[in-house]
Amino acid sequence: MSVGSKRAKERAKRKLPDNYMQSEEEEKAYLYCVKNDIRIGPVAVEEIIGSWAVGVSLPGNHKVVHKSPEIHDKHSIMEAVYKYCIYYYNKRKQ
């Protein structure tokens, strides 16, 4: 017999891990995006339970969320989110 119900296992797939430790550069890029109203974060992929894409919403039109074509699992999504933050940080600083 397995421990935990099927429903609990499904909920666990939908939760994001909270143990990702960002680097100093990633933190700096994230804070830049927050200050400049660039919203970047994980967005659940409806078709595949436990899968995530990166959602980006730019200033002036936050109702439109652009999703990344890549699909990630819960262990790699935060790394991808910070890569997008670094991208926008470097793009706007040039």
Side-chain angles (χ1 to χ4, degrees), residues 5-93:
S5 68
K6 184 176 180 181
R7 180 180 238 171
K9 289 177 185 176
E10 288 297 319
R11 271 193 246 132
K13 286 182 185 177
R14 291 184 173 100
K15 288 181 101 178
L16 287 173
D18 56 359
N19 59 354
Y20 181 80
M21 296 297 296
Q22 65 270 19
S23 68
E24 192 173 315
E25 179 188 17
E26 291 172 334
E27 181 71 20
K28 192 175 182 181
Y30 176 78
L31 291 175
Y32 171 83
C33 290
V34 169
K35 288 178 185 175
N36 289 286
D37 209 20
I38 301 169
R39 299 177 185 179
I40 301 173
V43 177
V45 177
E46 292 179 17
E47 298 83 27
I48 307 168
I49 294 175
S51 296
W52 302 85
V54 178
V56 179
S57 184
L58 299 173
N61 195 6
H62 289 297
K63 290 185 179 183
V64 176
V65 176
H66 304 281
K67 291 183 185 176
S68 67
E70 305 92 22
I71 296 177
H72 302 276
D73 64 357
K74 70 179 186 177
H75 302 291
S76 65
I77 185 63
M78 293 312 294
E79 185 178 338
V81 167
Y82 284 111
K83 282 183 183 180
Y84 274 82
C85 291
I86 290 171
Y87 169 79
Y88 281 99
Y89 176 74
N90 291 335
K91 180 181 176 181
R92 303 281 175 136
K93 288 293 184 181

